[in-house]
Amino acid sequence: MTTATAPIPAAPVWARRAAHAIALCAVPSGLWRIAMASGVYVGYSDQVLRDVFDIPGWGVAYVVGLSVFTELAALFPLLLVSDRWRPLRPRALAALAWTASGILVLVTLWQFVVAFTVESRTYLSSGTAQTVWGFTFAPLFAIPVLMTAVAWSYAKRHRARTRP
């Protein structure tokens, strides 16, 4: 005897928008890092770039690699709202999404602590540079909330499918 499973409902519009917003939230900080790696003045002196970030040098590869990795990771939620991509094990993917959401919450809390304690002694040379830095990195703090919403939507849709 086989049991028929209900078709997977489509992701709600709000979940699709949240997944796209996650991908877009990572763009400003990535562009800021790439500008820093390519020699555009972002508020750091040449000595700070050399001594702290190793730019020019291996620091360029690290900063650009971090930007690429961040953007690729920010594209993951798009898989959770896609109608075309059907994983073989949706429960495992739901667990991965919840894990990613939890890690993002912890990292964000840690970044708040770092921003208000350690980084209060910033290497940025001016208030304008600090303001630009703040505006480019502020969208990253929205990602944990958006990721939690997308993970919840994905888990809810796939849980509804497996119920009798």
Side-chain angles (χ1 to χ4, degrees), residues 48-115:
V48 169
L49 286 174
R50 266 190 320 276
D51 296 344
V52 177
F53 298 105
D54 196 23
I55 295 176
W58 285 102
V60 173
Y62 170 74
V63 169
V64 171
L66 180 62
S67 297
V68 170
F69 174 76
T70 302
E71 191 58 45
L72 288 175
L75 294 174
F76 167 70
L78 293 175
L79 295 175
L80 300 176
V81 297
S82 174
D83 291 332
R84 295 184 200 139
W85 184 71
R86 299 283 184 226
L88 295 176
R89 301 187 186 273
R91 286 185 185 206
L93 189 59
L96 179 65
W98 282 116
T99 302
S101 179
I103 289 170
L104 286 169
V105 168
L106 292 174
V107 167
T108 300
L109 291 173
W110 176 249
Q111 288 302 310
F112 271 125
V113 169
V114 169

Side-chain angles (χ1 to χ4, degrees), residues 141-156:
F141 291 114
I143 290 177
V145 175
L146 295 169
M147 183 63 197
T148 301
V150 171
W152 176 80
S153 171
Y154 181 83
K156 180 181 173 189

Side-chain angles (χ1 to χ4, degrees), residues 25-33 131-140:
C25 283
V27 171
S29 61
L31 291 175
W32 185 89
R33 284 189 206 104
T131 303
V132 170
W133 177 86
F135 278 121
T136 59
F137 281 85
L140 293 177

